[in-house]
């Protein structure tokens, strides 16, 4: 099985992937690691701020890695925000039947009432060097983008409305 995790910034994609790794023993690939490898190695002149352009470069690579894992009957968790909403067009039905898509987003109410906790937990798995530019309006805009994209493309969306831990634990329990 391939588990494809995407969503807005600070929603816990990496935390979810780590918890799944621990429970299911599936390896996981962080698209952010691939991004930074391309940037730091000089393979691209793009920066982490070039999100749309990075999706254009990263997604074809990730897509072929997913196909290779499926062809080799390997399980894999892939997480990151660089997954286009029309991702399904890149896979034949034989591949799609083994991919589970998960998109995480927070409601505006959740962001308003838990903003300090969201920022405080931003480095639970990853070391966010600069989180100073993260503010409520940025989080709300990013989460709206993912919510609207999932609705437009009829994709599964897991909304964090009240209790983050319960939402993530329920999601994991329903996968296994």
């Amino acid at each position: 099985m391939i588990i494809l995790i995407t969503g807005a910034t600070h929603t816990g994609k990496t935390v979810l992937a780590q918890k799944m790794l621990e429970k299911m023993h599936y390896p996981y690939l962080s698209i952010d690691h691939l991004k930074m490898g391309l940037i730091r190695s000089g393979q691209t002149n793009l920066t982490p701020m070039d999100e749309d352009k990075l999706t254009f470069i990263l997604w074809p690579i990730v897509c072929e890695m997913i196909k290779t894992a499926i062809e080799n009957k390997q399980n894999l968790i892939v997480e990151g925000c660089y997954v286009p909403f029309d991702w399904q067009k890149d896979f034949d039905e034989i591949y799609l039947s083994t991919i589970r898509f998960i998109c995480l987003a927070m409601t505006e109410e959740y962001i308003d009432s838990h903003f300090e906790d969201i920022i405080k937990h931003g480095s639970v798995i990853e070391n966010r060097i600069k989180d100073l530019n993260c503010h409520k309006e940025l989080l709300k805009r990013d989460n709206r983008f993912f919510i609207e994209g999932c609705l437009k493309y009829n994709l599964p969306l897991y909304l964090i409305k009240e209790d983050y831990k319960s939402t993530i634990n329920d999601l994991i329990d329903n996968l296994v």
Side-chain angles (χ1 to χ4, degrees), residues 31-47 53-54 56-59 61-62:
I31 302 174
D32 280 341
H33 292 173
L34 179 59
K35 168 190 74 178
M36 292 311 296
L38 288 171
I39 291 170
R40 288 180 172 179
S41 68
Q43 298 299 309
T44 181
N45 292 326
L46 298 175
T47 71
K53 293 175 185 173
L54 283 165
F56 181 75
I57 290 173
L58 293 167
W59 178 246
I61 297 167
V62 171

Side-chain angles (χ1 to χ4, degrees), residues 23-125:
K23 185 163 189 166
M24 303 167 77
H25 306 286
Y26 290 6
Y28 83 84
L29 167 72
S30 167
I31 302 174
D32 280 341
H33 292 173
L34 179 59
K35 168 190 74 178
M36 292 311 296
L38 288 171
I39 291 170
R40 288 180 172 179
S41 68
Q43 298 299 309
T44 181
N45 292 326
L46 298 175
T47 71
M49 305 313 288
D50 297 315
E51 290 186 15
D52 291 340
K53 293 175 185 173
L54 283 165
T55 299
F56 181 75
I57 290 173
L58 293 167
W59 178 246
I61 297 167
V62 171
C63 183
E64 295 307 318
M65 292 173 76
I66 290 170
K67 288 177 185 176
T68 301
I70 293 169
E71 290 162 358
N72 287 298
K73 297 178 178 37
Q74 296 169 320
N75 298 312
L76 182 63
I77 300 164
V78 178
E79 67 87 13
C81 63
Y82 303 101
V83 179
F85 292 113
D86 62 350
W87 67 272
Q88 293 170 314
K89 73 174 177 36
D90 297 317
F91 296 96
D92 294 332
E93 185 55 42
I94 193 158
Y95 296 109
L96 288 172
S97 64
T98 61
I99 300 172
R100 173 78 190 271
F101 177 86
I102 297 169
C103 183
L104 297 175
M106 297 179 235
T107 64
E108 290 191 11
E109 295 78 14
Y110 183 86
I111 294 168
D112 282 334
S113 60
H114 295 88
F115 181 72
E116 289 77 21
D117 288 332
I118 293 167
I119 297 302
K120 183 171 73 175
H121 291 99
S123 292
V124 168
I125 302 290

